[in-house]
Structure formats: C-alpha cells, structure tokens
C-alpha cells in the first residue's frame, strides 16, 4: 500500500474550521483516499472517502489536490466531540489492499473552548 | 446503524491461559477482521475472514487463531496467552471488497495478560 504522511498533532478552537492535511505522493491511479477517526476509548469510525473529486458528507468534506498527491479533511465547525486521532488511508480500488486497512500514526486533533 | 459488538471491554488473564475474544456484527457483512492496537505501532491486522469458515492471515498472525462458524460471528483465540499479547483488540466488519468498502469497528477489548 502507498504511504501517507500526516502531522502528529493539530489544535483548533471550538466552532472554527479545521483543515487536516495528508500527503500521499506515491498514490496510484486506482487508490481511493479514506479517512477514519478514533475517539478516545473507542474503535475507529469511517469519516469519508474519495477518488478524484472533492466529496462532502454530514461529517466532513474531503478536498483532493488535482495531482492527487495530497488531500485535506475539512471539519467545518469543530466541536469538543471532534477531538480524536484522524487517519488518512489509501485503499487500492482493484484489490482492496487485501481487504485490510493500513493505519499510520494519524493526527491527534485537540479542540479547545 | 451498523453494530459491531465485542464480548468484553476489559479482560485480565494469566500467562498460558486460553483466551477467546468474540465479535458479532448485525449487518450481514461478508468480511470480518481482527486488529490489535499498540501505542506507537498503530493498528495491525491479525486475521480476516471473507466468508463462513474462510480465513486469511494478516500481518501478525503468530500466536493467534480464529474461527468463523456463522456469518455474524468471528472469534479470536489466543491458544496460550503471553504477556506480549497485552493489547487493545479491535474487531471490524465490512461488505464489498475493493477500494470503496467501509469498515465498521467494535468498541475494542483491552486485554491484560499477567
């Protein structure tokens, strides 16, 4: 699986937008970009995924660079409940990466009042 | 909502004991997975199953076995628990293969082996 690089930690104030970056310079043409997050003492949960175009859902938006070598997860209004570790993961669209998710160390997001 | 449940949130066992971790999903998913999560190492895949009675090794299968007798249930077995198997164990399930599938995780079992 192609690798991703994320900052170790980021901080935000409540009700402000948060942009979480991810670099994936070795991404292949069939790789999907997935984001998961893990709240304290819980299992990871799916946030969003995309291939080429920007994507929106009720949780977040995903902005994908034109060359696909980077992407940004956008939380439009951070709340204290968004404090979590956010993981950016590439999944091969042809094989599914053997069906496993390869988690890196992710970005610890801290949200303050 | 998809629900993945794990039999225990916390478990304490002694070295050499046989340990069973149970996972049940209620969405008729074909795929089920067992991961372990350790500080600094992230999540690592132990085993996964894509159908009843089918299993495949993940990245770190040594010391573990699995059982999938029914579609909704996937068990992780530690034949003889050791202290280096102290960890957080996470079960997940998904439908579809390929790049668009979503994995749904249980809350995790924190296992301590003394």
């Amino acid at each position: 699986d192609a690798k991703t690089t994320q900052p170790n930690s980021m901080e935000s104030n409540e009700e402000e937008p948060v942009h979480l970056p991810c670099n994936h310079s070795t991404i292949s043409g069939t790789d999907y970009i997935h984001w998961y997050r893990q709240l304290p003492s819980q299992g990871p949960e799916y946030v969003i995924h995309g291939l080429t175009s920007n994507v929106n859902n009720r949780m977040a938006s995903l902005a994908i660079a034109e060359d696909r070598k980077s992407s940004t997860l956008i939380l439009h209004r951070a709340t204290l409940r968004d404090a979590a570790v956010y993981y950016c993961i590439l999944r091969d669209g042809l094989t599914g990466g053997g069906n496993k998710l390869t988690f890196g160390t992710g970005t610890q997001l801290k949200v303050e009042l | 909502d998809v629900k993945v449940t794990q039999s225990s949130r916390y478990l304490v066992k002694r070295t050499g004991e046989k340990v069973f971790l149970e996972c049940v999903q209620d969405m008729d998913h074909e795929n089920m997975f067992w991961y372990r999560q350790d500080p600094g190492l992230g999540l690592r895949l132990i085993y996964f199953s894509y159908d009843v009675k089918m299993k495949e090794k993940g990245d770190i299968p040594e010391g573990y076995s699995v059982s999938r007798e029914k579609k909704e249930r996937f068990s992780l077995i530690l034949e003889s628990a050791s202290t280096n198997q102290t960890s957080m164990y996470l079960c997940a399930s998904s439908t579809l293969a390929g790049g668009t599938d979503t994995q749904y995780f249980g809350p995790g079992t924190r296992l301590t082996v003394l």
Side-chain angles (χ1 to χ4, degrees):
Chain A
D1 292 330
K3 281 196 170 180
T4 63
T5 304
Q6 301 176 253
N8 288 333
S9 64
M10 291 185 65
E11 291 185 10
S12 173
N13 294 319
E14 202 175 20
E15 299 195 4
E16 288 188 357
V18 180
H19 292 232
L20 297 165
C22 181
N23 287 318
H24 28 78
S25 58
T26 59
I27 190 170
S28 75
T30 55
D31 283 338
Y32 285 79
I33 302 158
H34 285 244
W35 284 81
Y36 281 72
R37 72 178 186 180
Q38 188 171 18
L39 301 168
S41 302
Q42 294 188 28
E45 64 174 342
Y46 166 81
V47 178
I48 200 166
H49 76 271
L51 183 62
T52 56
S53 304
N54 294 344
V55 184
N56 299 299
N57 67 20
R58 62 175 180 81
M59 289 182 72
S61 297
L62 177 60
I64 301 173
E66 199 170 331
D67 64 4
R68 300 203 334 120
K69 293 184 184 299
S70 65
S71 60
T72 302
L73 180 71
I74 303 165
L75 307 179
H76 295 287
R77 289 181 67 211
T79 70
L80 295 177
R81 292 188 301 173
D82 291 321
V85 179
Y86 287 79
Y87 298 97
C88 170
I89 300 164
L90 301 182
R91 290 183 57 73
D92 186 346
L94 295 180
T95 66
N99 285 324
K100 69 179 182 181
L101 292 175
T102 301
F103 285 79
T105 52
T107 297
Q108 173 72 62
L109 175 65
K110 299 175 186 176
V111 181
E112 297 178 345
L113 290 169
Chain B
D1 276 353
V2 177
K3 201 162 188 183
V4 178
T5 56
Q6 296 183 228
S7 49
S8 305
R9 289 301 304 269
Y10 300 93
L11 207 54
V12 179
K13 296 291 182 181
R14 296 205 175 274
T15 301
E17 280 192 77
K18 191 168 185 176
V19 182
F20 293 86
L21 302 181
E22 303 283 335
C23 175
V24 177
Q25 51 96 1
D26 65 358
M27 284 302 292
D28 202 35
H29 284 169
E30 292 81 11
N31 301 321
M32 296 188 74
F33 310 83
W34 275 106
Y35 295 85
R36 65 177 280 178
Q37 184 172 28
D38 301 289
L41 296 176
L43 277 80
R44 294 177 291 167
L45 181 66
I46 305 171
Y47 268 97
F48 72 97
S49 168
Y50 50 89
D51 201 353
V52 175
K53 297 191 186 296
M54 306 303 287
K55 61 184 179 184
E56 285 203 23
K57 293 179 180 179
D59 298 321
I60 50 164
E62 296 79 19
Y64 303 94
S65 61
V66 290
S67 171
R68 192 160 180 208
E69 297 296 319
K70 293 184 178 181
K71 191 175 185 180
E72 67 271 17
R73 189 179 298 270
F74 192 34
S75 302
L76 180 70
I77 303 153
L78 287 65
E79 296 289 343
S80 178
S82 63
T83 54
N84 63 13
Q85 292 177 310
T86 292
S87 186
M88 170 70 84
Y89 289 87
L90 291 156
C91 175
S93 72
S94 77
T95 188
L96 300 176
T100 60
D101 64 311
T102 299
Q103 290 194 12
Y104 296 87
F105 285 82
T109 295
R110 186 164 294 282
L111 173 66
T112 301
V113 182
L114 302 175

